[in-house]
Amino acid sequence: MRQHETSLGELGEAGILERIVPFFQHRDDAVIVGPGDDCAVVRAAGELVFTTDAIVEGYDFILGISDPVSIGRKAAVQNLADVASMGARPRWLLTTVLAGKDTPIAVLEGIAEGIAREAHPLGASVIGGDLGTARELTVSITAIGELARSGAAVVRSGAKEGDVLAVGGEVLGLSSAGLAQVLGKSDATLPDLESRGQAVASIAGRALSWHLAPEPDLSAGWDAGRSASAMIDISDGLVRDASRIARASGVNLDLSRAALESDCALLAPLANVLSVDPMEWVLGSGEEHLMLATFPRSVWDENAQVRAAFREIGCVRAAEGDGDVRLDGVPLAMYGWDHFSV
């Protein structure tokens, strides 16, 4: 017989806060007033960057396939990555959770644990937020980061002809490969991947883990990434996010097929089982949250730290008219995630 799980409705708001606020305890001398007052108060030393993003049950995750800790980690990472892509270090988070009154408190405890697990090692503190009710479980986070010096923000509009295009991670496409498994599980069409051999099972497990709770090296953004001429995190797909740099900078970003072959080769065992071209995953995978940046050629050639944190996947070329994204010089159709596409 299943043991009774205490629900949010049984605890009430005060009881819920008593259960989840302890997860956010974190030493931060810059926090003057933390959770518990109408507003938080912090002491900032320099320029700040702000971002906000939300994930919604049924659209961004499926409760039951995604565990609560992974949901919290995913919600945190997508905001922390935005801060990092500006060349800033994450400092503070404001967290809002909306859930039905019948939701077990264990779900919110897991989400809080996941957020803290991603934020605290980076030196970021949860300093407040809100609770509310909704039909779909929703987690919304506002992240605040701090720049190392005035005017140091890395924006999308700085890419120049001749720059190196690079990504801060070993593999592109993992999240889409994981999403394919989530969708297959949800409609019972996913084949038994364990029976397809070690190579398939290995990349399937890695991809699913990445989709549920991505693990990008965010420090690439505020360390080596501060030398970039333009930067963005890959949240909606390599091509879609590269196109944002291209349009903002008025250049073409030319991806190298040869540089992406290793990604395709790694994904190929699973892609073959699911009858997918692995390049589709590489070009279109959202929720990767790796740093995508352009660097002046001189910086790339002379800075070993940059080359250790990023790998070259293309170059920046002059554009005639609006900038676009190409693969070995051939213009690409748009790949990636659009929240409002049919």
Side-chain angles (χ1 to χ4, degrees):
M1 184 175 179
R2 186 175 181 179
Q3 188 176 3
H4 173 72
E5 296 180 292
T6 304
S7 70
L8 304 185
E10 290 174 296
L11 285 171
E13 185 170 346
I16 296 168
L17 291 173
E18 286 181 1
R19 297 282 290 267
I20 65 174
V21 169
F23 287 97
F24 300 139
Q25 291 178 349
H26 181 242
R27 174 70 181 271
D28 189 339
D29 293 337
V31 177
I32 301 168
V33 179
D37 274 79
D38 286 343
C39 292
V41 181
V42 300
R43 183 185 298 107
E47 291 182 353
L48 303 178
V49 302
F50 296 77
T51 188
T52 190
D53 213 334
I55 57 175
V56 181
E57 182 181 4
Y59 296 89
D60 301 293
F61 63 89
I62 299 173
L63 191 59
I65 296 178
S66 291
D67 64 277
V69 173
S70 293
I71 293 168
R73 292 179 61 199
K74 186 173 188 175
V77 165
Q78 66 182 18
N79 285 277
L80 296 167
D82 281 342
V83 169
S85 73
M86 300 294 289
R89 183 182 292 272
R91 291 302 312 275
W92 304 290
L93 303 180
L94 297 167
T95 301
T96 294
V97 179
L98 308 178
K101 65 180 182 180
D102 295 329
T103 303
I105 184 60
V107 172
L108 266 64
E109 288 177 320
I111 291 171
E113 179 184 341
I115 293 170
R117 187 183 297 182
E118 295 298 332
H120 291 173
L122 302 181
S125 304
V126 177
I127 56 174
D130 193 22
L131 292 172
T133 57
R135 289 186 177 88
E136 289 85 23
L137 178 62
T138 301
V139 184
S140 177
I141 293 178
T142 296
I144 305 164
E146 198 165 24
L147 293 166
R149 65 182 189 279
S150 179
V154 183
V155 294
R156 303 175 182 181
S157 57
K160 299 290 191 295
E161 180 183 6
D163 284 359
V164 171
L165 177 63
V167 65
E170 296 178 356
V171 185
L172 287 161
L174 284 174
S175 188
S176 272
L179 176 60
Q181 296 174 71
V182 169
L183 296 177
K185 288 182 178 182
S186 67
D187 63 13
T189 61
L190 185 69
D192 179 9
L193 300 178
E194 292 291 335
S195 67
R196 303 302 180 98
Q198 179 59 33
V200 172
S202 177
I203 188 58
R206 182 177 176 183
L208 182 60
S209 294
W210 192 279
H211 177 73
L212 297 180
E215 298 185 47
D217 178 9
L218 299 182
S219 68
W222 63 79
D223 284 340
R226 285 190 293 172
S227 300
S229 52
M231 189 159 55
I232 192 172
D233 81 290
I234 303 176
S235 56
D236 295 324
L238 173 60
V239 174
R240 186 172 295 276
D241 287 314
S243 74
R244 290 167 174 149
I245 291 179
R247 289 196 300 269
S249 299
V251 296
N252 292 339
L253 297 190
D254 195 4
L255 297 166
S256 165
R257 182 181 292 274
L260 299 175
E261 284 301 328
S262 62
D263 306 71
C264 292
L266 186 77
L267 297 168
L270 178 61
N272 292 338
V273 170
L274 300 181
S275 301
V276 176
D277 180 353
M279 185 63 82
E280 298 281 331
W281 286 343
V282 171
L283 297 177
S285 183
E287 298 183 331
E288 297 286 313
H289 299 302
L290 303 174
M291 299 296 108
L292 180 68
T294 60
F295 294 92
R297 172 55 71 177
S298 60
V299 171
W300 182 263
D301 289 343
E302 298 168 9
N303 194 320
Q305 180 190 20
V306 170
R307 296 195 307 275
F310 288 83
R311 65 184 175 102
E312 186 172 357
I313 61 168
C315 63
V316 180
R317 301 189 187 280
E320 296 180 1
D322 294 336
D324 62 21
V325 181
R326 306 184 173 208
L327 184 63
D328 288 345
V330 179
L332 284 166
M334 186 58 69
Y335 289 79
W337 174 254
D338 182 332
H339 289 276
F340 299 100
S341 65
V342 178

